[in-house]
Amino acid sequence: MEVGHIYPASIFALSFANFFLKPYISLNFLLLNSLLVFGVLFLFWLLGGIGGGDVKVLTALSLYAGFKIWSILLFSSVVFLLYSLILCNFRTKLPFMPALFVGTIISFFANF
């Protein structure tokens, strides 16, 4: 249930390269959106609803995905809710990363 530092660092490096490959993306927009994502997820972390690794990965992913991060969060939350229902484990801690992976794939292929 731990996320290594290499995963958010790799996503951040891809985001940095993506910024220079797509010059039409505004840096101010990306930073403001990432700050908003970090703020919301930090509150969830303080309340104990999400882990610190999830906050790191989602904040780095928001630099890459831009505004699409909100649809990624929506799809990931739905997938997490579904596999929580299937496993019938609402009281135990389940990892969010598998749901985040599936939600990201769905979001990028669905073009929402």
Side-chain angles (χ1 to χ4, degrees), residues 16 77 95:
F16 192 69
S77 298

Side-chain angles (χ1 to χ4, degrees), residues 29-108:
F29 167 74
L30 286 176
L31 292 176
L32 184 63
N33 189 42
S34 295
L35 184 65
L36 182 63
V37 167
F38 176 75
V40 169
L41 294 175
F42 185 72
L43 288 175
F44 279 117
W45 177 76
L46 284 175
L47 296 172
I50 197 168
D54 302 326
V55 175
K56 289 189 296 188
V57 168
L58 281 164
T59 303
L61 190 59
S62 70
L63 285 170
Y64 182 81
F67 193 67
K68 189 178 256 195
I69 192 68
W70 300 106
S71 65
I72 291 171
L73 274 171
L74 176 69
F75 288 128
S76 300
S77 298
V78 169
V79 169
F80 183 77
L81 182 65
L82 288 175
Y83 83 73
S84 294
L85 285 171
I86 291 170
L87 296 176
C88 296
N89 288 333
F90 287 108
R91 302 213 187 261
T92 61
K93 291 186 177 185
L94 294 172
F96 189 67
M97 278 300 133
L100 180 61
F101 175 74
V102 173
T104 303
I105 297 298
I106 291 170
S107 179
F108 277 108

